[in-house]
Amino acid sequence: MTSILQYRGLIRNFVARDISSKYVGSLLGLYWSVINPLVTLLIYIVVFGVILNVRLPGETDIWSFALYFAAGFLPWAAFQETVLRASRSIIDNKIYIKKVPFPSEIFPISATFSEFVNLLIGIGIYLLLFLILNGIPTIFILFLPIAMILQIIFTLSLALFLSSGAVYFRDIPQMLGALFMIWFWATPIAYTIEMIPAGFQWIVYLNPMYYLLEIYRDLIFYGRLPEFFIIIPFTVFSVMLFIGSIWFFSKTKPGFGELL
């Protein structure tokens, strides 16, 4: 992966191309990066907060639930969209891979960072809403970049695994849609872990996204440092997964040219 640093300019170009191509010909252009997450958030908040009357334990107002939900949903939405796009990044760029001599890792990497821009926009919207509803966040907001770096490591690991795996097993991108639907509801995003019966909470502890979203919520919603039993396991798991993904990609990419 150290050789990838030599291509950081090319990665920046691919990221810029991905972002601009999303909204080419669109009247509002990049503003859709703000409009889309806002509309999605409003729909979920109306369904859960107004229609189903979901509230946080000990709370009665809808705004606490709205901020709690958004603090988990925004990182989740960026994670899901990144993995879905990155899983097809090698297949969709097969022309480059077969004809141009540069590392194929560039494509899942650029897909990961292009979606990261949308996460930054979403977090900016969240902090603005938090400022309006709750005032100035605590000083622990300064540790937010740590959560983002951990998300990049974890997401990029899956991007490398799945993009290379999809070359050999083309059903992977299609399977991910159903998987993410299950994964979303298995993750405490629209509910808290305390709402789950005690006998089933161990299932949540096996879910890596639970730990990542708790890190975000501790920093931007609760205004505190994440607990060690949250941040340490996720950090260790993400780093090990990242190392494994690099090894897996390096072992599988020699076959890309033949299969693509």
Side-chain angles (χ1 to χ4, degrees), residues 16-211:
R17 184 200 67 174
D18 286 348
I19 295 173
S20 61
S21 63
K22 267 187 178 182
Y23 307 107
V24 63
S26 170
L27 182 63
L28 296 179
L30 193 60
Y31 289 107
W32 284 112
S33 295
V34 177
I35 297 171
N36 285 332
L38 274 179
V39 171
T40 307
L41 273 176
L42 286 173
I43 291 172
Y44 274 108
I45 289 170
V46 168
V47 171
F48 289 106
V50 178
I51 299 176
L52 299 180
N53 199 35
V54 177
R55 297 291 183 272
L56 296 181
E59 299 284 348
T60 57
D61 66 289
I62 191 176
W63 299 115
S64 294
F65 168 76
L67 289 174
Y68 172 88
F69 175 81
F73 178 78
L74 291 171
W76 168 268
F79 165 72
Q80 175 177 310
E81 186 63 23
T82 301
V83 174
L84 289 174
R85 287 193 62 230
S87 68
R88 295 194 53 85
S89 60
I90 300 296
I91 298 172
D92 290 343
N93 291 282
K94 60 184 178 182
I95 296 177
Y96 293 104
I97 292 172
K98 296 174 75 171
K99 295 184 177 181
V100 184
F102 56 72
S104 49
E105 293 93 330
I106 285 177
F107 297 108
I109 291 173
S110 61
T112 300
F113 280 98
S114 65
E115 290 301 325
F116 182 71
V117 173
N118 288 335
L119 174 61
L120 291 176
I121 294 173
I123 293 296
I125 295 171
Y126 179 89
L127 293 178
L128 179 61
L129 292 174
F130 189 95
L131 183 65
I132 295 172
L133 296 172
N134 284 5
I136 299 174
T138 68
I139 194 172
F140 298 113
I141 197 71
L142 298 177
F143 292 95
L144 186 57
I146 295 176
M148 294 181 175
I149 291 171
L150 288 174
Q151 178 164 351
I152 289 175
I153 294 172
F154 178 60
T155 307
L156 182 55
S157 301
L158 292 181
L160 291 170
F161 268 120
L162 295 170
S163 62
S164 58
V167 176
Y168 293 85
F169 186 52
R170 298 297 178 95
D171 287 339
I172 285 178
Q174 285 70 37
M175 292 169 58
L176 286 175
L179 174 62
F180 271 109
M181 186 180 299
I182 298 171
W183 199 351
F184 174 83
W185 295 110
T187 305
I189 299 175
Y191 56 89
T192 66
I193 192 171
E194 290 80 14
M195 297 178 181
I196 303 173
F200 294 96
Q201 290 183 5
W202 64 271
I203 300 175
V204 176
Y205 294 128
L206 298 177
N207 182 351
M209 284 305 291
Y210 161 72
Y211 296 89

Side-chain angles (χ1 to χ4, degrees), residues 1 105 153-154 156-162 164-165 235-253:
M1 290 292 284
E105 293 93 330
I153 294 172
F154 178 60
L156 182 55
S157 301
L158 292 181
L160 291 170
F161 268 120
L162 295 170
S164 58
T235 301
V236 172
F237 175 76
S238 297
V239 171
M240 292 179 63
L241 186 66
F242 185 61
I243 294 171
S245 69
I246 294 173
W247 175 86
F248 181 78
F249 198 96
S250 66
K251 293 297 182 181
T252 56
K253 74 175 181 178

